[in-house]
Amino acid sequence: MSKIKIVITILYHAITILGIPDYCPKPISRAKEPSEHCAEASDPNELPKSGIEKWFTKEMFEDLFPHANLGYGPHACMPYSYEAFIIAARYFPEFGAESPSKVYEPEEHHRRDVSAFFAHAIQETGENNLDLYNNTDFTVDMASECFYRGGFYNWFERGPNSSFLHPSFPGYNPVDGKRCIEDGKYCKHETVLDMWYPCNETTELHANVTFYRGCYFGRGALQLSWNYNYGLFQQFLLSKKIEVDLLANPNLVITKMDPPLAMLASLWFYMTPQPPKPSMHSIVVGESRRIKAFKWFTKYFNVTAGPERTLSCKGMLEGFEAVQHMYSWHPDWGNMWRSRPCDCEPAPYGGES
Ligand SMILES: *[C@@H]1O[C@H](CO)[C@@H](O)[C@H](O)[C@H]1NC(C)=O
Ligand SMILES: *[C@@H]1O[C@H](CO)[C@@H](O)[C@H](O)[C@H]1NC(C)=O
Ligand SMILES: *[C@@H]1O[C@H](CO)[C@@H](O)[C@H](O)[C@H]1NC(C)=O
Ligand SMILES: *[C@@H]1O[C@H](CO)[C@@H](O)[C@H](O)[C@H]1NC(C)=O
Ligand SMILES: *[C@@H]1O[C@H](CO)[C@@H](O)[C@H](O)[C@H]1NC(C)=O
């Protein structure tokens, strides 16, 4: 053990968990600075405060996600902020505020729910700086203190500098996501889908390369993707009297702040389990990572993660060959924090094959 490691380890144990450890690398922003009079996250419906606001504070959000928005940090004009998170939560008042069983105290339920959402977000769009675990001055626990503070980093799939985007508009600015190359279309055509979820077919040529406007690649913390999911989210918004044509303008998921759609889409996805779910591969690889993240967040919030059995579907995965083609078992992350007897559900594989 090096001297530096000993000193840092002592410091680590001397300070409490709350507060970003000094040894964590400072975020390096790749995001364009928002303008002075930028539009902050707001709610056209002016929904009342939800229960989560009684306990989850702006200080916590900023302590947890200093690397949000491509390293810029949380900012009310950017896709990810406490303000956006709280407004999104008002559309799901039960999020982080309900207590569905007596297995845990109400407070524990609330914190486990939010931990599960954050664990999802870490996995999907966290900075995922694995170099932290290669730093020989850090123990694994110390590296985790920094690693799990990398959430809400990416806006766009493959971003920043997403290869889906125009090289002159590579994704450091929310508006950059409005056009993409063919690979970023994620638009499924079928008779019924074409009727309900018609893709924007507008194209433009730049230096002889065709770019498209109908780009339904992953956007937001939980990576809303594919035309039909944009369409379903749009229907949800309409049910809340928010009229927005996401099929014509999918990038509004990142740019619209009234209400802040990047957060709202993520919470909607978390609260409304549906296809497409990740492939078998990412379930198996991703599941254990997400469980680790869940454990870290529950520890941060001083609540128990619960029995291992409810956190994974390992037993169920063994029967995978017997399961209908294109289906797999995965933990129902919108519900596993409740710790009910069966937290696994079949997941149709809706992604690209
Ligand atoms: C961490 O170190 C190992 C071995 O030294 C190396 O193979 C790996 O690429 C490193 N990972 C990262 C993320 O730097
Ligand atoms: C962005 O990505 C392209 C390739 O897709 C690469 O050539 C370029 O150097 C990257 N720019 C930055 C700033 O990372
Ligand atoms: C674009 O392609 C056309 C035909 O393939 C060619 O004639 C033209 O020179 C190209 N333009 C540029 C800017 O590369
Ligand atoms: C397609 O996108 C363009 C540019 O965002 C927009 O002006 C147009 O209205 C959209 N077209 C359709 C059919 O939705
Ligand atoms: C967790 O407990 C520690 C030590 O009692 C305390 O300092 C910290 O504020 C608690 N964290 C939360 C999120 O309640």
Side-chain angles (χ1 to χ4, degrees), residues 274-293:
Q274 66 197 289
K277 297 292 185 191
S279 68
M280 261 312 283
H281 175 74
S282 60
I283 289 166
V284 177
V285 174
E287 195 183 310
S288 64
R289 277 211 263 142
R290 218 156 23 177
I291 290 168
K292 279 186 188 157

PDB file of all heavy atoms in Angstrom, residues 274-293:
ATOM      1  N   GLN A 274     -42.244  -1.404 -20.001  1.00  0.00           N
ATOM      2  CA  GLN A 274     -42.710  -1.738 -21.341  1.00  0.00           C
ATOM      3  C   GLN A 274     -41.530  -2.046 -22.255  1.00  0.00           C
ATOM      4  O   GLN A 274     -40.412  -1.728 -21.918  1.00  0.00           O
ATOM      5  CB  GLN A 274     -43.458  -0.558 -21.914  1.00  0.00           C
ATOM      6  CG  GLN A 274     -42.520   0.610 -22.126  1.00  0.00           C
ATOM      7  CD  GLN A 274     -43.262   1.889 -22.288  1.00  0.00           C
ATOM      8  OE1 GLN A 274     -43.898   2.084 -23.289  1.00  0.00           O
ATOM      9  NE2 GLN A 274     -43.178   2.731 -21.291  1.00  0.00           N
ATOM     10  N   PRO A 275     -41.827  -2.639 -23.413  1.00  0.00           N
ATOM     11  CA  PRO A 275     -40.734  -2.857 -24.366  1.00  0.00           C
ATOM     12  C   PRO A 275     -40.301  -1.525 -24.988  1.00  0.00           C
ATOM     13  O   PRO A 275     -41.071  -0.595 -24.952  1.00  0.00           O
ATOM     14  CB  PRO A 275     -41.366  -3.753 -25.426  1.00  0.00           C
ATOM     15  CG  PRO A 275     -42.839  -3.587 -25.278  1.00  0.00           C
ATOM     16  CD  PRO A 275     -43.106  -3.113 -23.903  1.00  0.00           C
ATOM     17  N   PRO A 276     -39.134  -1.388 -25.572  1.00  0.00           N
ATOM     18  CA  PRO A 276     -38.157  -2.461 -25.634  1.00  0.00           C
ATOM     19  C   PRO A 276     -37.304  -2.530 -24.382  1.00  0.00           C
ATOM     20  O   PRO A 276     -36.902  -1.513 -23.854  1.00  0.00           O
ATOM     21  CB  PRO A 276     -37.292  -2.046 -26.811  1.00  0.00           C
ATOM     22  CG  PRO A 276     -37.310  -0.561 -26.759  1.00  0.00           C
ATOM     23  CD  PRO A 276     -38.658  -0.177 -26.230  1.00  0.00           C
ATOM     24  N   LYS A 277     -37.060  -3.711 -23.947  1.00  0.00           N
ATOM     25  CA  LYS A 277     -36.131  -3.924 -22.855  1.00  0.00           C
ATOM     26  C   LYS A 277     -34.798  -4.316 -23.467  1.00  0.00           C
ATOM     27  O   LYS A 277     -34.738  -4.724 -24.621  1.00  0.00           O
ATOM     28  CB  LYS A 277     -36.635  -5.047 -21.948  1.00  0.00           C
ATOM     29  CG  LYS A 277     -37.957  -4.735 -21.284  1.00  0.00           C
ATOM     30  CD  LYS A 277     -37.815  -3.612 -20.275  1.00  0.00           C
ATOM     31  CE  LYS A 277     -39.131  -3.417 -19.553  1.00  0.00           C
ATOM     32  NZ  LYS A 277     -39.177  -2.212 -18.757  1.00  0.00           N
ATOM     33  N   PRO A 278     -33.741  -4.194 -22.692  1.00  0.00           N
ATOM     34  CA  PRO A 278     -32.428  -4.518 -23.265  1.00  0.00           C
ATOM     35  C   PRO A 278     -32.290  -5.986 -23.665  1.00  0.00           C
ATOM     36  O   PRO A 278     -33.062  -6.826 -23.233  1.00  0.00           O
ATOM     37  CB  PRO A 278     -31.467  -4.156 -22.142  1.00  0.00           C
ATOM     38  CG  PRO A 278     -32.276  -4.029 -20.924  1.00  0.00           C
ATOM     39  CD  PRO A 278     -33.661  -3.706 -21.329  1.00  0.00           C
ATOM     40  N   SER A 279     -31.306  -6.241 -24.477  1.00  0.00           N
ATOM     41  CA  SER A 279     -31.074  -7.602 -24.949  1.00  0.00           C
ATOM     42  C   SER A 279     -30.625  -8.499 -23.804  1.00  0.00           C
ATOM     43  O   SER A 279     -30.236  -8.027 -22.749  1.00  0.00           O
ATOM     44  CB  SER A 279     -29.983  -7.576 -26.006  1.00  0.00           C
ATOM     45  OG  SER A 279     -28.769  -7.239 -25.394  1.00  0.00           O
ATOM     46  N   MET A 280     -30.652  -9.792 -24.027  1.00  0.00           N
ATOM     47  CA  MET A 280     -30.177 -10.752 -23.036  1.00  0.00           C
ATOM     48  C   MET A 280     -28.809 -10.351 -22.519  1.00  0.00           C
ATOM     49  O   MET A 280     -28.565 -10.331 -21.332  1.00  0.00           O
ATOM     50  CB  MET A 280     -30.035 -12.132 -23.688  1.00  0.00           C
ATOM     51  CG  MET A 280     -31.155 -13.075 -23.449  1.00  0.00           C
ATOM     52  SD  MET A 280     -31.620 -13.154 -21.736  1.00  0.00           S
ATOM     53  CE  MET A 280     -30.306 -14.155 -21.080  1.00  0.00           C
ATOM     54  N   HIS A 281     -27.944 -10.030 -23.456  1.00  0.00           N
ATOM     55  CA  HIS A 281     -26.581  -9.706 -23.074  1.00  0.00           C
ATOM     56  C   HIS A 281     -26.558  -8.563 -22.067  1.00  0.00           C
ATOM     57  O   HIS A 281     -25.986  -8.681 -21.002  1.00  0.00           O
ATOM     58  CB  HIS A 281     -25.768  -9.343 -24.304  1.00  0.00           C
ATOM     59  CG  HIS A 281     -24.392  -8.889 -23.977  1.00  0.00           C
ATOM     60  ND1 HIS A 281     -23.408  -9.760 -23.583  1.00  0.00           N
ATOM     61  CD2 HIS A 281     -23.853  -7.660 -23.926  1.00  0.00           C
ATOM     62  CE1 HIS A 281     -22.314  -9.084 -23.326  1.00  0.00           C
ATOM     63  NE2 HIS A 281     -22.553  -7.813 -23.526  1.00  0.00           N
ATOM     64  N   SER A 282     -27.220  -7.491 -22.412  1.00  0.00           N
ATOM     65  CA  SER A 282     -27.119  -6.354 -21.508  1.00  0.00           C
ATOM     66  C   SER A 282     -27.905  -6.596 -20.226  1.00  0.00           C
ATOM     67  O   SER A 282     -27.647  -5.964 -19.215  1.00  0.00           O
ATOM     68  CB  SER A 282     -27.537  -5.061 -22.196  1.00  0.00           C
ATOM     69  OG  SER A 282     -28.846  -5.152 -22.635  1.00  0.00           O
ATOM     70  N   ILE A 283     -28.859  -7.519 -20.257  1.00  0.00           N
ATOM     71  CA  ILE A 283     -29.534  -7.856 -18.999  1.00  0.00           C
ATOM     72  C   ILE A 283     -28.538  -8.524 -18.063  1.00  0.00           C
ATOM     73  O   ILE A 283     -28.403  -8.149 -16.916  1.00  0.00           O
ATOM     74  CB  ILE A 283     -30.735  -8.797 -19.237  1.00  0.00           C
ATOM     75  CG1 ILE A 283     -31.863  -8.036 -19.915  1.00  0.00           C
ATOM     76  CG2 ILE A 283     -31.235  -9.379 -17.915  1.00  0.00           C
ATOM     77  CD1 ILE A 283     -32.928  -8.929 -20.490  1.00  0.00           C
ATOM     78  N   VAL A 284     -27.826  -9.516 -18.601  1.00  0.00           N
ATOM     79  CA  VAL A 284     -26.917 -10.268 -17.743  1.00  0.00           C
ATOM     80  C   VAL A 284     -25.750  -9.395 -17.298  1.00  0.00           C
ATOM     81  O   VAL A 284     -25.426  -9.312 -16.119  1.00  0.00           O
ATOM     82  CB  VAL A 284     -26.415 -11.537 -18.461  1.00  0.00           C
ATOM     83  CG1 VAL A 284     -25.422 -12.260 -17.586  1.00  0.00           C
ATOM     84  CG2 VAL A 284     -27.595 -12.433 -18.789  1.00  0.00           C
ATOM     85  N   VAL A 285     -25.156  -8.707 -18.256  1.00  0.00           N
ATOM     86  CA  VAL A 285     -24.041  -7.833 -17.908  1.00  0.00           C
ATOM     87  C   VAL A 285     -24.553  -6.680 -17.052  1.00  0.00           C
ATOM     88  O   VAL A 285     -23.985  -6.355 -16.024  1.00  0.00           O
ATOM     89  CB  VAL A 285     -23.372  -7.270 -19.180  1.00  0.00           C
ATOM     90  CG1 VAL A 285     -22.319  -6.242 -18.816  1.00  0.00           C
ATOM     91  CG2 VAL A 285     -22.773  -8.398 -19.984  1.00  0.00           C
ATOM     92  N   GLY A 286     -25.643  -6.116 -17.524  1.00  0.00           N
ATOM     93  CA  GLY A 286     -26.149  -4.909 -16.881  1.00  0.00           C
ATOM     94  C   GLY A 286     -26.734  -5.157 -15.518  1.00  0.00           C
ATOM     95  O   GLY A 286     -26.629  -4.328 -14.641  1.00  0.00           O
ATOM     96  N   GLU A 287     -27.339  -6.306 -15.341  1.00  0.00           N
ATOM     97  CA  GLU A 287     -28.054  -6.548 -14.095  1.00  0.00           C
ATOM     98  C   GLU A 287     -27.131  -6.446 -12.886  1.00  0.00           C
ATOM     99  O   GLU A 287     -27.451  -5.768 -11.910  1.00  0.00           O
ATOM    100  CB  GLU A 287     -28.699  -7.927 -14.160  1.00  0.00           C
ATOM    101  CG  GLU A 287     -29.751  -8.138 -13.108  1.00  0.00           C
ATOM    102  CD  GLU A 287     -30.306  -9.546 -13.185  1.00  0.00           C
ATOM    103  OE1 GLU A 287     -30.684  -9.965 -14.289  1.00  0.00           O
ATOM    104  OE2 GLU A 287     -30.331 -10.208 -12.157  1.00  0.00           O
ATOM    105  N   SER A 288     -25.975  -7.100 -12.964  1.00  0.00           N
ATOM    106  CA  SER A 288     -25.124  -7.088 -11.781  1.00  0.00           C
ATOM    107  C   SER A 288     -24.580  -5.683 -11.533  1.00  0.00           C
ATOM    108  O   SER A 288     -24.416  -5.270 -10.390  1.00  0.00           O
ATOM    109  CB  SER A 288     -23.992  -8.093 -11.936  1.00  0.00           C
ATOM    110  OG  SER A 288     -23.169  -7.709 -12.998  1.00  0.00           O
ATOM    111  N   ARG A 289     -24.353  -4.945 -12.618  1.00  0.00           N
ATOM    112  CA  ARG A 289     -23.878  -3.576 -12.441  1.00  0.00           C
ATOM    113  C   ARG A 289     -24.941  -2.711 -11.783  1.00  0.00           C
ATOM    114  O   ARG A 289     -24.674  -1.867 -10.956  1.00  0.00           O
ATOM    115  CB  ARG A 289     -23.501  -2.973 -13.795  1.00  0.00           C
ATOM    116  CG  ARG A 289     -22.104  -3.343 -14.238  1.00  0.00           C
ATOM    117  CD  ARG A 289     -21.528  -2.234 -15.061  1.00  0.00           C
ATOM    118  NE  ARG A 289     -21.680  -2.494 -16.482  1.00  0.00           N
ATOM    119  CZ  ARG A 289     -21.962  -1.559 -17.363  1.00  0.00           C
ATOM    120  NH1 ARG A 289     -22.152  -0.311 -16.998  1.00  0.00           N
ATOM    121  NH2 ARG A 289     -22.074  -1.870 -18.629  1.00  0.00           N
ATOM    122  N   ARG A 290     -26.180  -2.962 -12.218  1.00  0.00           N
ATOM    123  CA  ARG A 290     -27.266  -2.148 -11.678  1.00  0.00           C
ATOM    124  C   ARG A 290     -27.503  -2.481 -10.203  1.00  0.00           C
ATOM    125  O   ARG A 290     -27.811  -1.607  -9.408  1.00  0.00           O
ATOM    126  CB  ARG A 290     -28.539  -2.381 -12.493  1.00  0.00           C
ATOM    127  CG  ARG A 290     -29.305  -1.137 -12.672  1.00  0.00           C
ATOM    128  CD  ARG A 290     -30.220  -1.096 -13.860  1.00  0.00           C
ATOM    129  NE  ARG A 290     -30.656  -2.361 -14.384  1.00  0.00           N
ATOM    130  CZ  ARG A 290     -31.507  -2.454 -15.391  1.00  0.00           C
ATOM    131  NH1 ARG A 290     -31.992  -1.374 -15.949  1.00  0.00           N
ATOM    132  NH2 ARG A 290     -31.864  -3.612 -15.865  1.00  0.00           N
ATOM    133  N   ILE A 291     -27.322  -3.763  -9.872  1.00  0.00           N
ATOM    134  CA  ILE A 291     -27.487  -4.150  -8.473  1.00  0.00           C
ATOM    135  C   ILE A 291     -26.423  -3.469  -7.621  1.00  0.00           C
ATOM    136  O   ILE A 291     -26.706  -2.949  -6.545  1.00  0.00           O
ATOM    137  CB  ILE A 291     -27.422  -5.691  -8.326  1.00  0.00           C
ATOM    138  CG1 ILE A 291     -28.689  -6.300  -8.944  1.00  0.00           C
ATOM    139  CG2 ILE A 291     -27.294  -6.101  -6.868  1.00  0.00           C
ATOM    140  CD1 ILE A 291     -28.634  -7.801  -9.121  1.00  0.00           C
ATOM    141  N   LYS A 292     -25.196  -3.406  -8.151  1.00  0.00           N
ATOM    142  CA  LYS A 292     -24.133  -2.719  -7.405  1.00  0.00           C
ATOM    143  C   LYS A 292     -24.490  -1.252  -7.207  1.00  0.00           C
ATOM    144  O   LYS A 292     -24.304  -0.695  -6.129  1.00  0.00           O
ATOM    145  CB  LYS A 292     -22.808  -2.828  -8.166  1.00  0.00           C
ATOM    146  CG  LYS A 292     -22.118  -4.153  -7.950  1.00  0.00           C
ATOM    147  CD  LYS A 292     -20.741  -4.160  -8.599  1.00  0.00           C
ATOM    148  CE  LYS A 292     -20.145  -5.563  -8.544  1.00  0.00           C
ATOM    149  NZ  LYS A 292     -19.132  -5.767  -9.587  1.00  0.00           N
ATOM    150  N   ALA A 293     -24.995  -0.645  -8.265  1.00  0.00           N
ATOM    151  CA  ALA A 293     -25.375   0.771  -8.175  1.00  0.00           C
ATOM    152  C   ALA A 293     -26.510   0.941  -7.164  1.00  0.00           C
ATOM    153  O   ALA A 293     -26.488   1.863  -6.346  1.00  0.00           O
ATOM    154  CB  ALA A 293     -25.784   1.296  -9.546  1.00  0.00           C
TER     155      ALA A 293
END
